[in-house]
């Protein structure tokens, strides 16, 4: 039996879970208030407080020095291939000092190493799995109409690949041979086209669909007018933190909007229909990237709990392929299964250099 701990740092929390093989034994969470974190200028400045709290939590759960693997959520490394990456000093330094963006997930590797050093057995491995910058997009999908700008693959890869594997398994398919479209709709929204085990095209909420607080694609001429009026910094804040459902409904809480729809609010209902339309357009775009050969489509993330939204999307995309719902997120089990595959020899972990070469 293999003993595995996963660590998933988020903006105001650190999720911890303990698995025996791939069976969840317990999960827990350390939650921080904004006041507790306000004095930390950079994400990595939070490392000590986060690790100390994790150490206490693991000791309280009776974890001793016999772990076989610790798997952290991968941060914004830069373009890397999918799968497991070994945690070493080079990876930690990269995420601490040279990340693509500041994000709590950048702490995952360092926390995994610290847990390994204190709680692991002699052969315990520290890993990250499917970081948010996994990139296996086909070259032609990277192009835009400006030479200076390429499309990027940054998003919910860990959860989307976990759902893709589960979707394939649930329907008697080999993930490495299936053609799948996975859409994550939560606080942010991203979508991916999978073929032969690779995400060959990827769409974020900077592009087609809006999300809880991001604008999605916008008419460029109108954006230029707004940029002139607001300035770049204010415009960036507007399209990335004050847009989407937040702008259209005055809230990014889908449950509140759902209640309005149930009470007959026609404007809220129209926004949800528009949201569904944009998500369906995104799915259709990715179907083209798969040349129309799609086995299944899946919706995942917190917003996939909303039956009415899922129904509206299904009505528009069921001509492409059957739609399945995997509401919520599956990051903990994805990390645990990834670690299990590595320590049992099913899968090989890459070094940072190997992962970045793709």
């Amino acid at each position: 039996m293999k003993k595995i701990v996963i660590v998933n740092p988020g903006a105001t929390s650190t999720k911890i879970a303990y698995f025996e093989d791939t069976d969840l034994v317990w999960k827990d969470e350390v939650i921080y208030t904004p006041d507790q974190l306000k004095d930390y200028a950079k994400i990595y400045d939070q490392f000590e407080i986060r690790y100390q709290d994790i150490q206490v939590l693991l000791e309280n759960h009776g974890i001793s020095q016999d772990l076989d693997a610790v798997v952290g959520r991968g941060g914004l490394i830069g373009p890397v291939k999918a799968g497991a990456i070994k945690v070493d000093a080079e990876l930690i330094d990269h995420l601490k000092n040279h990340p693509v963006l500041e994000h709590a997930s950048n702490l995952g590797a360092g926390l995994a190493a610290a847990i390994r050093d204190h709680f692991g057995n002699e052969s315990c491995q520290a890993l990250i799995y499917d970081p948010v910058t996994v990139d296996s997009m086909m070259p032609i999908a990277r192009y835009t109409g400006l030479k200076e700008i390429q499309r990027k693959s940054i998003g919910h890869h860990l959860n989307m690949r976990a759902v893709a594997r589960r979707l394939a398994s649930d329907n008697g398919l080999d993930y490495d041979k299936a053609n799948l479209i996975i859409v994550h709709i939560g606080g942010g929204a991203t979508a991916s086209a999978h073929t032969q085990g690779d995400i060959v095209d990827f769409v974020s909420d900077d592009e087609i669909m809006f999300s809880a607080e991001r604008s999605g694609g916008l008419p460029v001429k109108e954006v230029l007018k707004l940029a002139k009026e607001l300035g770049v910094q204010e415009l960036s804040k507007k399209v990335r933190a004050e847009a989407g459902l937040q702008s259209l409904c005055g809230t990014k809480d889908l449950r509140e909007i759902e209640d309005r729809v149930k009470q007959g609010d026609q404007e809220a209902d129209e926004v949800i229909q528009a949201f569904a339309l944009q998500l369906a357009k995104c799915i259709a775009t990715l179907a083209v990237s798969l040349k129309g050969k799609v086995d299944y489509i899946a919706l995942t993330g917190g917003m996939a709990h909303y039956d009415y939204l899922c129904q509206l999307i299904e009505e528009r995309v069921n001509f492409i392929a059957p739609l399945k719902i995997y509401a919520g997120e599956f990051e903990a089990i994805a990390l645990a299964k990834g670690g299990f595959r590595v320590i049992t020899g099913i899968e090989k972990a890459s070094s940072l250099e190997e992962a970045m070469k793709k």
Side-chain angles (χ1 to χ4, degrees), residues 33-42 45-46:
T33 66
D35 278 348
Q36 287 176 292
L37 301 179
K38 66 181 174 59
D39 293 330
Y40 297 100
K42 295 184 178 180
D45 295 341
Q46 301 172 16

Side-chain angles (χ1 to χ4, degrees), residues 93-151:
D93 177 73
H94 187 86
L95 286 166
K96 181 179 180 179
N97 298 309
H98 310 287
V100 175
L101 291 170
E102 285 281 304
H103 192 272
S105 60
N106 295 339
L107 291 162
L111 292 172
I115 296 168
R116 174 200 61 195
D117 294 345
H118 190 85
F119 293 95
N121 60 34
E122 290 184 359
S123 59
C124 182
Q125 297 190 51
L127 307 161
I128 59 171
Y129 202 88
D130 279 351
V132 293
T133 54
V134 164
D135 187 346
S136 51
M137 285 174 65
M138 55 186 172
I140 60 173
R142 301 181 190 278
Y143 279 77
T144 73
L146 278 180
K147 186 176 181 180
E148 297 87 348
I149 298 177
Q150 281 198 333
R151 299 180 65 242

Side-chain angles (χ1 to χ4, degrees), residues 117-328:
D117 294 345
H118 190 85
F119 293 95
N121 60 34
E122 290 184 359
S123 59
C124 182
Q125 297 190 51
L127 307 161
I128 59 171
Y129 202 88
D130 279 351
V132 293
T133 54
V134 164
D135 187 346
S136 51
M137 285 174 65
M138 55 186 172
I140 60 173
R142 301 181 190 278
Y143 279 77
T144 73
L146 278 180
K147 186 176 181 180
E148 297 87 348
I149 298 177
Q150 281 198 333
R151 299 180 65 242
K152 295 181 179 179
S153 178
I154 300 176
H156 305 90
H157 292 289
L158 178 63
N159 190 52
M160 289 193 295
R161 286 208 346 126
V163 168
R165 287 179 181 275
R166 183 170 167 183
L167 175 64
S169 175
D170 288 350
N171 291 281
L173 299 175
D174 180 345
Y175 171 58
D176 292 329
K177 296 178 181 177
N179 285 352
L180 308 169
I181 295 173
I182 313 297
V183 183
H184 180 108
I185 39 176
T190 53
S192 49
H194 302 236
T195 187
Q196 297 182 349
D198 284 330
I199 294 175
V200 294
D201 201 357
F202 176 91
V203 179
S204 77
D205 51 14
D206 285 331
E207 299 179 290
I208 299 175
M209 68 287 196
F210 60 80
S211 62
E213 56 186 2
R214 293 184 182 165
S215 67
L218 296 169
V220 174
K221 286 188 287 187
E222 300 303 319
V223 172
L224 292 174
K225 290 179 187 176
L226 202 55
K228 186 176 180 180
E229 177 185 332
L230 298 177
V232 173
Q233 283 190 328
E234 282 301 311
L235 178 62
S236 177
K237 179 182 175 184
K238 192 171 189 67
V239 300
R240 294 190 60 79
E242 300 173 352
L245 297 178
Q246 180 66 49
S247 174
L248 297 167
C249 293
T251 178
K252 60 183 177 182
D253 188 339
L254 186 63
R255 293 166 297 185
E256 182 181 332
I257 301 169
E258 181 181 0
D259 287 342
R260 292 185 201 172
V261 172
K262 288 178 179 177
Q263 291 165 16
D265 185 328
Q266 292 299 312
E267 186 176 355
D269 187 57
E270 193 164 280
V271 169
I272 293 303
Q273 291 191 48
F275 187 31
L277 175 60
Q278 290 204 351
L279 288 162
K281 286 181 177 180
C282 178
I283 290 166
T285 296
L286 293 174
V288 171
S289 295
L290 296 175
K291 299 181 179 179
K293 298 175 182 177
V294 183
D295 296 308
Y296 287 96
I297 302 161
L299 301 179
T300 185
M303 289 189 183
H305 285 290
Y306 187 12
D307 291 341
Y308 179 51
L309 175 63
C310 295
Q311 175 193 330
L312 290 172
I313 296 168
E314 183 175 21
E315 288 172 357
R316 294 189 179 277
V317 303
N318 60 11
F319 74 97
I320 297 170
L323 177 72
K324 304 291 183 180
I325 308 300
Y326 290 85

